[in-house]
Amino acid sequence: MTLKSFPRQEEIALSCRQILNRIRTVHLREINGSEGPVLYISDAYPGVWLEHVYDGLVWAELTGENQVARSYVRLFLKHQKPDGQLPCYVWRDRVGYSQLQECVSFASIGLEVFQRTQDRPFLEELYDGCCRWDSWLCANRLGKAGLLEMYCGYDSGHDNSGRLDGMKYPGNVCEDAAVRPEGCPIAPIIAPDINAVFYGDRTALAEMATLLGREQEALLWRQKAEAVRENLFRCCYDEADRFFYDVDRQGRLRKCRSISITNVFSERVTDPALTAAIFDRYFRSPSEFGTPFPYPSVSAGDPLFEKRVPGNSWGYYCQGLTMLRTLRWMKAQGLEQELHENMRKWLTAWTGASLPFGQELDPFTGEPSESSPWYSATMLFYLASAKELGLVRDFGQET
């Protein structure tokens, strides 16, 4: 196998201009009552999903356009139900509440938006909304183990993954995320990625409460967050394997080595020492996640690693979403050199690719899958990589 050589700087600069022009002319738009433009995912998706709120924050970090990030957060708060449930997606003509799909802590993203804007009324609105979201999660998804339960495959956002094998509902149970799965031999499932985000939300709520001068509430949120962390280690962590696994309704570990482990890193469930140990064992190994292009959605050495469909497959391909989220943990956990290496590989793969900035890459060849050209997470990671590596200067209004 011959891999492409690293592109010339002028080629990368041209690709960045193409991305910026595409985002500004096609993706930045208002939707379903938003107070300003948000960043559409792609032509293949008719709106925005809760897990993509992070897109708006990355755009703000790259361009300084904080309004996009603020509009993204407030769009989901606007469509929050009176009982506290956040929508899982907002489309042009529809708002959905059928799954969780909060794959990055909404509270943490909102807090980072506040830190960029220092808009106290926004912080107060965010805190109230995230408190009510926590209450809804506890009322509808908190199990006896003190952790949230996954009812359907779409809760995790991991479509077409062997991780979901055996689930009666690899899609939605129904249009209401509060409805429990019936007749499923393995669900409800305790999932480490979902509960890592739960921990991240509560940690952010503690910080918000402190900023708002509510110290007693901050103390309570810190205690609640630590309880989630302790329960997550107790239920999902296999010390011999040094890995966090899903747990089925019978309390059995489902030993699929899924990329969901990175949610545990990004939400700071693990400290830098444990993150490094897990990373050394699994992410540096070519037979696990250390494939020529980072990072497959399931370990290459796992029996469930399989390309089952030609696109949108979280059982095989390297995902743009996964790579974008590495910005939230790799440098912070002492893996800056490895982050830069990953960035160079993704710049190499997507510069001049046959399908422009799609959702996924083949982990061995670097070829795009048949899924979603001009995908927001991939475009944003490309821009972030070019800037981080010093190949471009900035991404202001020029296209």
Side-chain angles (χ1 to χ4, degrees):
M1 177 179 61
T2 301
L3 301 181
K4 292 195 301 184
S5 59
F6 190 71
R8 299 191 308 275
Q9 185 170 352
E10 55 266 31
E11 293 178 299
I12 293 172
L14 175 60
S15 292
C16 288
R17 290 195 295 272
Q18 291 172 334
I19 289 172
L20 289 166
N21 182 66
R22 170 78 188 193
I23 289 176
R24 293 191 187 284
T25 59
V26 178
H27 292 256
L28 288 179
R29 63 177 84 170
E30 296 183 5
I31 180 175
N32 213 328
S34 63
E35 66 177 18
V38 296
L39 207 159
Y40 261 55
I41 299 170
S42 74
D43 291 342
Y45 296 94
V48 293
W49 267 250
L50 183 58
E51 66 178 327
H52 281 269
V53 175
Y54 182 47
D55 291 0
L57 178 60
V58 175
W59 179 253
E61 291 169 344
L62 290 171
T63 66
E65 296 172 22
N66 296 328
Q67 180 60 34
V68 173
R70 185 177 184 275
S71 295
Y72 226 137
V73 172
R74 294 205 70 235
L75 174 65
F76 281 84
L77 291 174
K78 176 178 181 176
H79 291 287
Q80 186 173 27
K81 287 184 175 181
D83 65 1
Q85 184 182 9
L86 288 172
C88 53
Y89 59 77
V90 179
W91 296 352
R92 290 187 292 265
D93 56 356
R94 179 179 176 185
V95 181
Y97 301 91
S98 53
Q99 68 248 24
L100 302 184
Q101 208 158 336
E102 185 193 6
C103 305
V104 183
S105 163
F106 179 78
S108 297
I109 296 168
L111 176 59
E112 291 175 51
V113 173
F114 164 74
Q115 290 166 341
R116 295 186 61 85
T117 63
Q118 296 299 307
D119 180 346
R120 187 179 175 90
F122 170 82
L123 179 63
E124 291 171 345
E125 178 188 14
L126 176 71
Y127 181 71
D128 176 69
C130 291
C131 286
R132 293 192 296 116
W133 173 232
D134 185 274
S135 295
W136 185 90
L137 289 169
C138 291
N140 295 281
R141 289 299 192 93
L142 195 66
K144 293 179 181 178
L147 296 168
L148 300 184
E149 294 179 333
M150 180 167 72
Y151 286 0
C152 67
Y154 283 173
D155 280 340
S156 68
H158 285 197
D159 300 20
N160 300 308
S161 173
R163 173 191 180 189
L164 308 177
D165 283 358
M167 290 188 74
K168 183 179 179 181
Y169 303 103
N172 292 323
V173 176
C174 63
E175 291 303 306
D176 182 357
V179 175
R180 292 179 63 85
E182 297 294 340
C184 182
I186 59 172
I189 288 172
I190 298 172
D193 47 346
I194 290 170
N195 283 285
V197 170
F198 189 37
Y199 170 80
D201 278 344
R202 288 183 160 184
T203 300
L205 278 164
E207 189 170 346
M208 282 188 247
T210 296
L211 290 169
L212 292 168
R214 304 179 185 184
E215 287 299 338
Q216 288 301 314
E217 292 177 36
L219 176 61
L220 182 60
W221 284 121
R222 284 192 289 271
Q223 292 171 344
K224 287 183 174 182
E226 184 56 28
V228 172
R229 183 180 180 277
E230 291 175 357
N231 290 334
L232 189 51
F233 269 91
R234 176 175 52 83
C235 291
C236 298
Y237 184 59
D238 186 302
E239 189 167 2
D241 289 358
R242 279 194 169 171
F243 210 85
F244 289 82
Y245 296 114
D246 293 339
V247 177
D248 72 11
R249 65 183 303 164
Q250 308 301 328
R252 297 171 298 205
L253 292 176
R254 291 171 55 82
K255 288 198 171 186
C256 172
R257 297 190 297 280
S258 164
I259 198 65
S260 60
I261 187 76
T262 56
N263 290 61
V264 177
F265 303 155
S266 63
E267 303 296 344
R268 307 296 192 273
V269 173
T270 51
D271 60 26
L274 182 54
T275 300
I278 297 172
F279 191 90
D280 285 345
R281 181 164 175 176
Y282 292 101
F283 287 80
R284 298 191 196 281
S285 170
S287 62
E288 298 283 355
F289 292 101
T291 49
F293 290 87
Y295 291 121
S297 300
V298 168
S299 161
D302 193 284
L304 294 173
F305 177 68
E306 183 181 1
K307 182 165 50 176
R308 299 183 175 185
V309 292
N312 194 17
S313 174
W314 282 79
Y316 179 79
Y317 290 109
C318 308
Q319 300 287 336
L321 282 169
T322 297
M323 300 315 296
L324 188 67
R325 294 166 190 165
T326 62
L327 301 177
R328 297 190 66 76
W329 62 272
M330 289 193 74
K331 185 184 287 190
Q333 302 253 15
L335 296 165
E336 182 176 15
Q337 180 178 341
E338 292 79 0
L339 174 63
H340 288 179
E341 181 180 351
N342 292 347
M343 287 176 162
R344 284 189 286 270
K345 289 179 178 180
W346 271 62
L347 288 172
T348 299
W350 287 112
T351 304
S354 57
L355 182 144
F357 308 103
Q359 185 172 339
E360 305 162 317
L361 288 177
D362 186 286
F364 298 107
T365 68
E367 289 297 314
S369 76
E370 299 177 12
S371 185
S372 190
W374 301 106
Y375 189 70
S376 60
T378 301
M379 290 192 289
L380 290 167
F381 187 66
Y382 191 100
L383 294 177
S385 298
K387 187 173 184 179
E388 173 72 20
L389 296 175
L391 301 171
V392 295
R393 288 182 299 174
D394 59 64
F395 302 118
Q397 291 293 329
E398 293 183 5
T399 59

